[in-house]
Amino acid sequence: MTHPQSKNKPREIAAVDLGSNSFHMVVARVVGEGLQIVSRHKQRVRLAAGLDDQHRLSDEAIRRGVECLAMFAERLNGLDMENVRIAATHTLRQARNVDTFIERARQVLPYPIEIISGEEEARLIYMGVSHTQQNVGRKLVIDIGGGSTELVIGDNFEPALVNSKRVGCVSYNERFFPKGNITPKQFAAAQLATQQKLESLASQYRQASWQVALGASGTIKAIREVIIGLGDEDGIITRKRLDNLIEKLLKFKNSDSIDLPGLSADRQPVFAAGVAILSGIFDALAIESMRFSDGALREGLLYEMEDRFQRTDIRGRTTDDMAARYNIDLSHARRVQHTAAYFYAQAEPDKGSKKAELAGLLNWAALLHEVGLSIGYPGYHKHSAYILRNTNLPGFNQEQQTVLATLARFHRKALKLNEMPKFTLFKPKLIETLICALRLACVLHSQRNDEALPEIALSVDKKGAWQLTFPTGWLQDNRLLAADLEAEKQYWQSVNWTLTFSD
């Protein structure tokens, strides 16, 4: 039996964090200008433990992850696509067979899974902490996950230093505490390895300084709970308290035998690794004390989801900043943007669920397609692709960033489609339509002048053939552009695409 929904019922949004050790889901209602958490769910999946030396996830690890997502799907049932964000972090970033995981996940959960970069994960963690803490001034935020550790310094809602390092409690447990064995020598080795990982950024972070250090997520929460259990009720982690905890921890020879007040059974197997990592971070960054923050990645996803309906999209700021950094010819880029958007709207007239997102990616790619000119003109489309693929772009998940790089790579010259990357969030045909729209816009603005283009009619038939119709006599009066269009037509024919034009 179904019940009619109240028109005034608050909008529900959900965020899912596919971590290396556990999967988390949080559901919230949008109430006024804030969020009201209505449910939290956590499942220990131990995904990182299923990653082999060739960076392939075992079938068993994939099964555990998919079973967890099937349970989460029961709670998410009925939520609109735009009200759910699922972010995958370190282990799924590393897994070479991530496509297999995503394909099996899609069978039980209809919402798209975003693979996010380490820097994007760090930024979102910082946003989650910032939204759930009172204004504490300049802050250092640390999140020790199963496969990576994120470190951010920022003021209010603006991160200034953002880094992600491959230091995690699951991976370090496998490396330094095999079979759960704990010795002072192994513990010291894990501490030292952490300090070595942070060596390149430690001085910069110490010089940047902060008023308060905040720790997020399970590892630091578990350490806080044990410190409270040992008698320090405020739960603040200090160097002295951490050393006291380490002294007690090293009395146990194996993780199975750890008996510390406040330590949960599910955290017990990776606890020694987590403590060693935090101790190494304290030493590397000269941290005096750290408080725990309830907010983390999933809260960052929630608040940003709501922010995008009300405030400037962070991706717009990211691309504008990049355009300024690489001295983009903005007048030319805006003309290409406008024409590419026009062609895309004509080629994809139906409002599919992905159209708005793809239109945005086309817009940002059109703005940034010439960043490679900063390296040199020959092959600049390849330079542009490299820059867009390897730069930290706040607000973009890994696949969205790959789309930008792909559009830049294929906006001119030969269409070597065998070099197209695989996508999990977007069908290849959708990406090809974006490429067509951007290529034509670039051709028509190749003379880089301020003269407006005439009205151009575009039709795309059921077989995907593109037909451009110009005003009578226009091509004859613009023979250089006509020649460029003829060359473009040959590029299309080389990959069995069809482009025709007439006036």
Side-chain angles (χ1 to χ4, degrees):
M1 179 177 177
T2 59
H3 299 276
Q5 288 191 336
S6 166
K7 291 182 179 178
N8 297 320
K9 183 179 179 181
R11 186 165 66 95
E12 276 195 348
I13 59 177
V16 181
D17 163 13
L18 307 186
S20 298
N21 193 42
S22 302
F23 287 3
H24 296 260
M25 177 172 67
V26 58
V27 182
R29 290 195 187 102
V30 180
V31 180
E33 294 187 7
L35 295 180
Q36 180 185 74
I37 305 297
V38 294
S39 64
R40 291 183 184 273
H41 306 268
K42 173 189 173 184
Q43 193 77 15
R44 186 162 170 259
V45 175
R46 295 180 294 110
L47 209 59
L51 202 62
D52 65 20
D53 292 340
Q54 281 72 49
H55 289 267
R56 297 188 67 83
L57 276 175
S58 67
D59 288 340
E60 177 61 22
I62 291 174
R63 183 192 61 77
R64 291 196 300 268
V66 172
E67 284 183 356
C68 174
L69 292 180
M71 286 190 286
F72 285 2
E74 296 173 13
R75 176 63 181 85
L76 296 174
N77 185 35
L79 268 65
D80 292 337
M81 199 73 70
E82 65 269 20
N83 290 338
V84 177
R85 281 192 73 185
I86 305 174
T89 58
H90 182 266
T91 296
L92 289 173
R93 279 198 294 272
Q94 300 300 309
R96 290 182 177 174
N97 58 339
V98 65
D99 293 350
T100 302
F101 177 87
I102 289 176
E103 185 56 41
R104 287 179 58 182
R106 190 178 287 132
Q107 295 170 14
V108 300
L109 191 67
Y111 304 97
I113 294 173
E114 306 175 40
I115 312 292
I116 59 175
S117 69
E119 290 81 3
E120 178 65 0
E121 181 182 356
R123 186 188 69 81
L124 286 164
I125 289 166
Y126 180 83
M127 296 305 292
V129 171
S130 297
H131 274 289
T132 53
Q133 290 287 317
Q134 294 180 339
N135 188 3
V136 290
R138 192 167 179 82
K139 54 187 171 290
L140 166 68
V141 174
I142 304 288
D143 187 316
I144 301 168
S148 65
T149 292
E150 283 64 52
L151 311 96
V152 188
I153 290 179
D155 291 286
N156 297 322
F157 296 98
E158 293 297 326
L161 293 176
V162 179
N163 277 279
S164 177
K165 291 292 183 180
R166 293 187 185 182
V167 177
C169 62
V170 175
S171 55
Y172 268 42
N173 186 58
E174 299 277 325
R175 178 179 168 188
F176 294 104
F177 305 98
K179 298 181 180 178
N181 295 323
I182 302 171
T183 68
K185 185 177 179 180
Q186 290 167 313
F187 192 89
Q191 284 177 305
L192 181 60
T194 301
Q195 291 176 262
Q196 289 174 323
K197 281 283 189 180
L198 301 186
E199 193 172 12
S200 61
L201 58 79
S203 176
Q204 183 185 21
Y205 271 62
R206 288 195 301 265
Q207 289 175 13
S209 73
W210 55 86
Q211 268 93 42
V212 62
L214 297 166
S217 295
T219 296
I220 294 173
K221 182 180 181 181
I223 292 170
R224 171 182 177 266
E225 294 300 320
V226 172
I227 283 175
I228 292 171
L230 290 173
D232 296 302
E233 294 184 1
D234 59 14
I236 296 173
I237 304 169
T238 64
R239 178 74 265 178
K240 183 178 179 181
R241 292 173 178 180
L242 200 52
D243 287 342
N244 179 48
L245 168 57
I246 293 168
E247 183 183 343
K248 288 179 166 48
L249 175 64
L250 291 179
K251 291 178 180 177
F252 302 99
K253 304 304 180 187
N254 192 279
S255 60
D256 290 341
S257 64
I258 297 175
D259 183 16
L260 290 169
L263 181 63
S264 63
D266 67 330
R267 183 55 59 172
Q268 194 173 330
V270 295
F271 187 67
V275 174
I277 291 168
L278 185 62
S279 178
I281 293 171
F282 262 60
D283 289 343
L285 302 188
I287 298 172
E288 295 178 2
S289 68
M290 174 178 286
R291 287 170 26 204
F292 176 69
S293 167
D294 281 321
L297 172 60
R298 42 208 171 272
E299 285 75 21
L301 289 166
L302 281 178
Y303 278 98
E304 188 160 271
M305 216 185 313
E306 178 58 15
D307 281 355
R308 285 183 177 170
F309 289 91
Q310 299 174 0
R311 300 181 180 89
T312 304
D313 193 328
I314 178 118
R315 293 175 294 184
R317 296 201 301 274
T318 294
T319 48
D320 286 347
D321 290 346
M322 196 169 186
R325 191 190 327 158
Y326 285 91
N327 297 310
I328 293 294
D329 179 348
L330 286 178
S331 296
H332 175 68
R334 299 298 184 200
R335 289 191 291 269
V336 172
Q337 276 183 319
H338 181 269
T339 302
Y342 168 75
F343 285 149
Y344 182 61
Q346 303 305 308
E348 293 281 3
D350 297 330
K351 292 184 177 180
S353 60
K354 294 286 185 184
K355 183 169 182 181
E357 181 179 1
L358 287 167
L361 292 173
L362 174 61
N363 187 62
W364 290 310
L367 176 66
L368 299 175
H369 72 282
E370 290 188 336
V371 292
L373 284 173
S374 61
I375 297 175
Y377 181 79
Y380 80 83
H381 53 297
K382 295 180 182 179
H383 303 324
S384 294
Y386 179 85
I387 291 169
L388 291 172
R389 188 169 55 248
N390 293 286
T391 300
N392 174 31
L393 299 180
F396 291 90
N397 64 44
Q398 192 167 295
E399 186 142 324
Q400 290 167 338
Q401 194 162 340
T402 301
V403 171
L404 297 184
T406 300
L407 294 182
R409 167 69 179 82
F410 291 107
H411 85 268
R412 66 192 288 267
K413 296 294 185 178
L415 283 160
K416 297 179 181 179
L417 298 183
N418 61 308
E419 297 179 6
M420 277 261 284
K422 289 183 178 180
F423 295 95
T424 57
L425 298 179
F426 310 108
K427 294 179 180 177
K429 190 66 180 173
L430 296 174
I431 305 301
E432 290 175 6
T433 302
L434 297 180
I435 292 172
C436 291
L438 182 57
R439 286 182 72 95
L440 288 179
C442 290
V443 168
L444 291 170
H445 291 288
S446 59
Q447 296 183 18
R448 309 181 78 93
N449 56 41
D450 293 332
E451 291 184 22
L453 292 174
E455 287 192 19
I456 305 169
L458 168 65
S459 63
V460 181
D461 66 20
K462 292 181 180 179
K463 294 182 179 179
W466 289 47
Q467 164 72 44
L468 293 176
T469 305
F470 295 87
T472 303
W474 191 85
L475 289 173
Q476 203 165 8
D477 293 338
N478 293 269
R479 288 179 294 171
L480 186 57
L481 264 178
D484 289 342
L485 280 169
E486 185 61 42
E488 182 65 15
K489 178 180 176 180
Q490 301 305 315
Y491 284 131
W492 287 41
Q493 285 180 349
S494 70
V495 292
N496 297 315
W497 293 357
T498 301
L499 171 65
T500 57
F501 50 90
S502 61
D503 56 9

